[in-house]
Amino acid sequence: MRTLAQTGVPASRRSLRALLVALGTGAALLGAGAVSANEGAPPLKELKVCQDPANMPFSNDKGEGLENRIAELFAGSLGVPVKYYSYPQRFAFVRNTLRYKLPGEDFRCDVMLGVPAGFDQVSGTKPYYRSTYALVFPKGKGLDGVKTGEDFLRLDPATLKALKIGLYDKSPASKWLARHDLVDQGVPYATVDVVAEHYPGWMIDNDLVKGKIDVAILWGPVAAYYASKIKDMELVVVPLKSEPGIKFDFEIAMGVRYGEPEWKKQIETLIDRHKDDLDRILKAYHVPLVDEQLNPIVY
């Protein structure tokens, strides 16, 4: 399995949420209703999902996230209910969810629906989508001609130098600004923020719309979701394309515990079986997708 360094994902082992923020889920096998999680194991009684209770657009304790919708979809195929085990991703998430088990008890949850491909704390499935970082800025503020990252960099130097660009520290955006001599325009935000009120889209909701920054650079699913929620101004989302040495796009997979190959196969079967459904869910949450050639997928 690839390491995080090989995939370009920040190599923090303490916080999955930090990775996602800095970035910033066989018909014959499933057709008879409930199925066992591992060959020879008792029939599956519930789909136990590890989730962050406040991490939109991915999940929350109200079941409103895209991963919540995927969990319900998969549970329907398996013929069982969903049971969530919630824990904040900022605090050693894998150790306290997927790996958490007291003597004489079962594991609290059995699958994580959104992990970077290559994240070596879990046994990762095949990816089910690829997204990328994106620029977000208000329409009508002098950047309307920007349709790509290249357009942004071709702006008049005086215009670029006047911008305040919000970004999460130690994300690929940091290297991008440094490469293009825009470090002084960067306004860094902490990747791992222990303030509970500071959710992934806080930069948009609280600073971009108030004019404290002019542009935000965020992991695409976060950027597009929170931009779509702003009603008093129109925000433009421009996906960024990776450059040599600066990786903006990442594949997202699902994760199970090591040593459970049959369970992993069944999750991958669900991914294959419900590809169209997964795409519809991602579209509903405005996730900017890119193909293997890193070209934007137009819905």
Side-chain angles (χ1 to χ4, degrees):
M1 176 175 289
R2 294 174 298 168
T3 66
L4 294 178
Q6 289 170 319
T7 61
V9 182
S12 167
R13 289 181 170 273
R14 295 199 309 161
S15 172
L16 177 62
R17 185 172 187 174
L19 299 183
L20 294 172
V21 169
L23 284 181
T25 200
L29 184 65
L30 299 170
V35 295
S36 60
N38 287 286
E39 187 174 357
L44 191 69
K45 296 181 179 179
E46 54 195 5
L47 179 63
K48 297 192 293 184
V49 176
C50 319
Q51 75 157 3
D52 188 314
N55 190 29
M56 291 296 285
F58 307 106
S59 64
N60 68 9
D61 55 7
K62 297 179 182 178
E64 297 172 329
L66 67 89
E67 291 172 8
N68 298 120
R69 289 188 58 183
I70 292 171
E72 296 292 341
L73 172 69
F74 283 8
S77 278
L78 294 167
V80 297
V82 178
K83 182 178 181 180
Y84 293 106
Y85 182 67
S86 297
Y87 193 87
Q89 282 190 1
R90 59 173 67 86
F91 302 122
F93 185 64
V94 178
R95 185 180 67 200
N96 288 295
T97 55
L98 195 65
R99 296 179 182 171
Y100 184 66
K101 183 179 184 297
L102 294 177
E105 294 185 0
D106 292 332
F107 286 102
R108 301 300 172 93
C109 53
D110 299 321
V111 62
M112 299 168 60
L113 297 182
V115 298
F119 182 58
D120 57 8
Q121 292 190 44
V122 302
S123 177
T125 67
K126 64 178 63 177
Y128 67 102
Y129 73 94
R130 183 197 297 265
S131 190
T132 188
Y133 275 79
L135 298 167
V136 188
F137 50 84
K139 186 175 182 179
K141 299 290 186 179
L143 301 178
D144 292 354
V146 173
K147 308 298 181 185
T148 66
E150 291 81 1
D151 290 341
F152 182 78
L153 295 172
R154 284 194 292 264
L155 289 170
D156 179 83
T159 299
L160 278 175
K161 294 298 184 182
L163 295 175
K164 297 186 293 291
I165 305 171
L167 70 155
Y168 281 107
D169 191 25
K170 300 180 182 179
S171 73
S174 300
K175 293 176 66 176
W176 193 67
L177 293 187
R179 172 173 290 181
H180 298 290
D181 194 26
L182 294 171
V183 170
D184 290 343
Q185 284 63 57
V187 180
Y189 293 72
T191 299
V192 181
D193 195 334
V194 297
V195 180
E197 292 77 13
H198 289 185
Y199 49 92
W202 187 86
M203 189 191 305
I204 291 176
D205 286 352
N206 291 275
D207 285 3
L208 185 62
V209 299
K210 295 176 181 177
K212 295 180 181 178
I213 57 176
D214 304 297
V215 181
I217 305 178
L218 293 161
W219 175 229
V222 174
Y225 175 78
Y226 284 97
S228 74
K229 295 297 181 183
I230 302 300
K231 302 305 180 186
D232 55 354
M233 68 170 60
E234 183 176 351
L235 296 180
V236 179
V237 178
V238 175
L240 291 169
K241 199 165 186 176
S242 296
E243 301 177 4
I246 300 177
K247 185 172 177 60
F248 279 132
D249 64 285
F250 294 90
E251 293 178 312
I252 300 301
M254 302 183 188
V256 301
R257 285 178 291 275
Y258 287 105
E260 299 182 348
E262 294 303 320
W263 178 228
K264 177 179 173 179
K265 287 180 184 177
Q266 291 195 25
I267 296 296
E268 291 187 324
T269 298
L270 289 165
I271 291 172
D272 289 339
R273 183 182 185 185
H274 291 290
K275 181 182 184 306
D276 291 343
D277 298 311
L278 293 173
D279 287 345
R280 280 191 286 270
I281 291 171
L282 295 169
K283 178 181 178 181
Y285 285 81
H286 309 284
V287 174
L289 302 177
V290 295
D291 62 22
E292 292 182 358
Q293 289 71 46
L294 310 185
N295 297 310
I297 296 174
V298 179
Y299 293 123

